[in-house]
Amino acid sequence: MRYLLPAFVAFFFIIEGTWFQVFFPPSTEQDLFWVPRFAFVTVILISIYRGSKSGIFYGMGLGLFQDIVYSTVIGIYTFSYALIGYMTGFNFRAVQSRPFVVLVIVMVAVASLESLIYLMYTWTGIAQVTFEEFAATRLLPSVVLNGAFGILLIFPLRKFFVMLEDRDRQQENV
Amino acid sequence: MPHFFSNKRLILLMVGIIILVILVGLTMREREQATIPEQIMRDSVGVVQSVFQRPAYFVRDIYDDFVNILNVHEENERLKGQLNDYAMLRSEIEGLREENDSLTSLYEGMESLSSFDTIPALVIDRQPDRWTETIGINRGTQHGIETDMAVITEEGLIGRVQYTSAFTSQVQLLSDGERTNRVSAKVSSEEGDPAVGFIEGWDVDQDLLVLQKVDSENELEPGQFVSTSGLGGLFPADLPIGEIVDVQVDEYGLTQNAYIEPSADFFHLNHVLVIERNVDNIDGIQEEFLQQEDEEIVEEEDESEGSDD
């Protein structure tokens, strides 16, 4: 049980670069960039349900892998995943029990992630597009795609978190 | 929302930003080789990725086959048309091959600039964020892969090896916009020397490669084929790149830019070939050339001395 959560994140991280790219390959007819951030959405949900400490921990780990495996510049994803993972740690009952609020947080997190990455890539000279173009071709599709993924993931993951909490409580009692 | 702007957290954020800047600064520039921990991480993730990727390609192939069956009639008609040209092309190739053999036998020991071996590899991942265009392959230094080797598919050149680790490597595609990502290319024309330029960058609006710095004296026109020139020293010559679709004079009017429709599909990559250039031979050729030049110079000097007397 303990390793199931990191395994989830790792699974979605692998999916982003492999299955997603094989079954939904980018093409020249497509002007929109559908960027999967499935592992990141999972981290945000972990942060909401398990607290911002878990968020920063998972965010940093995932970001480090993202940086090293897929890119050459290290630090960009490590920093942004950890920062946003920390800031989305709204672990109050009032938020956790309202799936719609959770979804809004996830979508805002994805939007701020894309913008942060865009800013940093612009500073380092890797990205050379205007903000309007970025917003239309990358930001919007990304929020839509990952929001949809969030809807699919919120309910099963919430059940899983409730189960985890029950187990923790039982262990404390014993 | 946690109390974000308390002193302790603000300091932590500052430290985080400083570490970020240092890390980015250290890793930004073109590095010769990734560090050992990076290589180990890439290799271990690479193993998992290959496990995921093989069944995915299997399913994808079945799907593609299904689509192909639907198009089979149309394709058959088209191929029949092409078959008529084949006989003529074949006899022409035979002639050229004989001529080539006889010419190379005259020039003993000479391996052409285009001689190479290939290492087949499986594509195990693709950069999902698409700010940079890179793919990962499941072959590394253990299989003889080195940085800057050319990577092709059956259709043409797709990129170069950017980083290697023991069992995986990262390939930078031609469509990547990085400034140092350039390939020396030539446009063959029927008369005269081929025009030479650099493939530099990708035109995002039209999805075409851009061939830059072609001398404006060379006449380029749409439909001409572009291939590697072999002059850059990294890639062998005559790897197909694509076909010109548009030509424009550049902003200063001294050179011209050509827009190229790549012959390889950069988006459906599953098996690629890494090109191992026969470097020993190239060194040999260069030495041979140098020796010959020396000899010629010596002969000329002898002659001139002789004429003085």
Side-chain angles (χ1 to χ4, degrees):
Chain A
M1 274 309 236
R2 179 172 284 265
Y3 300 106
L4 219 53
L5 219 46
F8 269 148
V9 180
F11 175 74
F12 289 128
F13 169 70
I14 299 284
I15 291 288
E16 284 173 12
T18 56
W19 287 3
F20 190 86
Q21 304 300 324
V22 175
F23 295 121
F24 307 97
S27 70
T28 44
E29 292 113 52
Q30 275 274 359
D31 285 336
L32 301 181
F33 294 80
W34 300 96
V35 179
R37 304 277 188 204
F38 302 157
F40 174 72
V41 171
T42 319
V43 167
I44 297 300
L45 291 177
I46 289 174
S47 178
I48 294 173
Y49 286 98
R50 306 287 286 175
S52 39
K53 272 221 176 94
S54 303
I56 203 169
F57 176 74
Y58 278 99
M60 222 173 201
L62 174 68
L64 194 64
F65 269 95
Q66 182 102 24
D67 274 333
I68 288 177
V69 174
Y70 291 123
S71 85
T72 51
V73 184
I74 296 165
I76 288 183
Y77 278 103
T78 316
F79 178 78
S80 9
Y81 280 8
L83 181 70
I84 298 174
Y86 178 78
M87 288 178 56
T88 49
F90 298 87
N91 56 337
F92 322 118
R93 280 260 166 263
V95 174
Q96 289 168 353
S97 57
R98 290 186 177 80
F100 183 72
V101 180
V102 174
L103 180 65
V104 170
I105 296 174
V106 166
M107 285 165 86
V108 170
V110 170
S112 36
L113 172 79
E114 294 291 349
S115 317
L116 200 59
I117 299 290
Y118 168 73
L119 270 183
M120 286 200 267
Y121 273 174
T122 308
W123 285 334
T124 50
I126 294 172
Q128 285 150 348
V129 293
T130 58
F131 185 79
E132 287 81 15
E133 200 183 331
F134 156 75
T137 59
R138 285 174 185 269
L139 187 61
L140 269 177
S142 179
V143 171
V144 170
L145 174 70
N146 295 297
F149 177 75
I151 296 173
L152 289 179
L153 195 66
I154 285 173
F155 294 98
L157 213 58
R158 196 167 63 148
K159 263 189 194 147
F160 178 71
F161 286 126
V162 171
M163 208 159 66
L164 271 186
E165 260 172 40
D166 285 349
R167 279 175 65 95
D168 288 352
R169 220 169 288 137
Q170 273 172 10
Q171 275 171 352
E172 273 170 30
N173 291 341
V174 172
Chain B
M1 180 120 175
H3 299 285
F4 193 71
F5 292 105
S6 72
N7 273 341
K8 196 177 140 205
R9 288 186 175 119
L10 209 59
I11 289 169
L12 269 179
L13 178 68
M14 287 301 166
V15 172
I17 291 178
I18 291 168
I19 293 175
L20 165 80
V21 171
I22 292 173
L23 266 178
V24 169
L26 283 177
T27 51
M28 253 300 276
R29 62 207 154 82
E30 184 83 342
R31 288 179 291 168
E32 280 281 296
Q33 196 64 40
T35 54
I36 301 289
E38 279 177 77
Q39 293 190 23
I40 293 171
M41 272 171 84
R42 272 192 199 149
D43 281 346
S44 28
V45 174
V47 171
V48 184
Q49 284 172 332
S50 344
V51 171
F52 272 71
Q53 205 69 314
R54 282 173 205 275
Y57 285 140
F58 181 71
V59 176
R60 176 85 210 186
D61 284 346
I62 290 176
Y63 171 77
D64 287 343
D65 286 347
F66 186 71
V67 175
N68 279 342
I69 288 171
L70 298 180
N71 297 333
V72 113
H73 178 72
E74 206 175 299
E75 199 173 338
N76 194 20
E77 291 295 309
R78 197 163 48 83
L79 289 177
K80 264 182 192 158
Q82 283 181 4
L83 207 60
N84 297 333
D85 302 337
Y86 176 72
M88 248 176 74
L89 208 65
R90 197 187 156 111
S91 64
E92 200 178 330
I93 284 175
E94 283 301 323
L96 287 173
R97 190 172 286 154
E98 268 169 31
E99 194 181 331
N100 191 18
D101 282 347
S102 65
L103 286 174
T104 39
S105 65
L106 281 178
Y107 212 96
E108 228 168 287
M110 164 113 180
E111 293 253 7
S112 77
L113 282 173
S114 46
S115 81
F116 54 78
D117 298 327
T118 57
I119 308 167
L122 184 81
V123 177
I124 53 172
D125 70 50
R126 186 190 179 94
Q127 160 74 293
D129 82 359
R130 311 233 5 242
W131 284 111
T132 55
E133 297 279 338
T134 57
I135 56 172
I137 55 174
N138 68 341
R139 289 283 180 268
T141 45
Q142 290 293 316
H143 309 96
I145 305 233
E146 284 164 31
T147 314
D148 283 333
M149 280 180 173
V151 183
I152 60 169
T153 62
E154 287 83 2
E155 288 110 33
L157 182 74
I158 56 165
R160 69 175 180 105
V161 176
Q162 195 175 22
Y163 291 109
T164 54
S165 44
F167 302 104
T168 59
S169 324
Q170 197 174 353
V171 176
Q172 183 177 43
L173 300 180
L174 284 180
S175 50
D176 190 287
E178 201 197 351
R179 248 169 300 145
T180 52
N181 186 23
R182 59 169 70 167
V183 177
S184 172
K186 67 177 179 201
V187 185
S188 325
S189 54
E190 290 190 357
E191 65 247 27
D193 291 334
V196 178
F198 289 99
I199 298 280
E200 275 186 13
W202 176 262
D203 189 276
V204 185
D205 296 332
Q206 307 176 62
D207 287 313
L208 298 170
L209 286 169
V210 189
L211 176 71
Q212 298 188 337
K213 302 199 176 70
V214 183
D215 204 316
S216 49
E217 284 176 8
N218 295 108
E219 280 176 21
L220 301 181
E221 51 195 57
Q224 283 180 314
F225 287 102
V226 182
S227 56
T228 54
S229 67
L231 296 175
L234 300 174
F235 295 174
D238 299 322
L239 300 175
I241 295 175
E243 195 178 315
I244 296 182
V245 289
D246 190 19
V247 182
Q248 278 170 11
V249 178
D250 89 331
E251 47 191 317
Y252 304 113
L254 297 172
T255 58
Q256 47 190 346
N257 298 341
Y259 291 87
I260 297 165
E261 171 97 59
S263 51
D265 183 353
F266 291 151
F267 300 116
H268 286 94
L269 298 167
N270 45 16
H271 292 277
V272 296
L273 299 168
V274 182
I275 285 181
E276 193 175 21
R277 204 175 183 185
N278 296 339
V279 183
D280 301 338
N281 295 328
I282 290 164
D283 288 348
I285 293 167
Q286 277 176 345
E287 271 165 31
E288 217 169 90
F289 271 128
L290 288 177
Q291 275 178 359
Q292 274 186 354
E293 274 174 19
D294 285 347
E295 279 167 17
E296 278 169 19
I297 290 168
V298 170
E299 277 169 18
E300 276 171 22
E301 275 174 2
D302 285 350
E303 278 172 17
S304 59
E305 273 171 22
S307 63
D308 279 346
D309 292 335

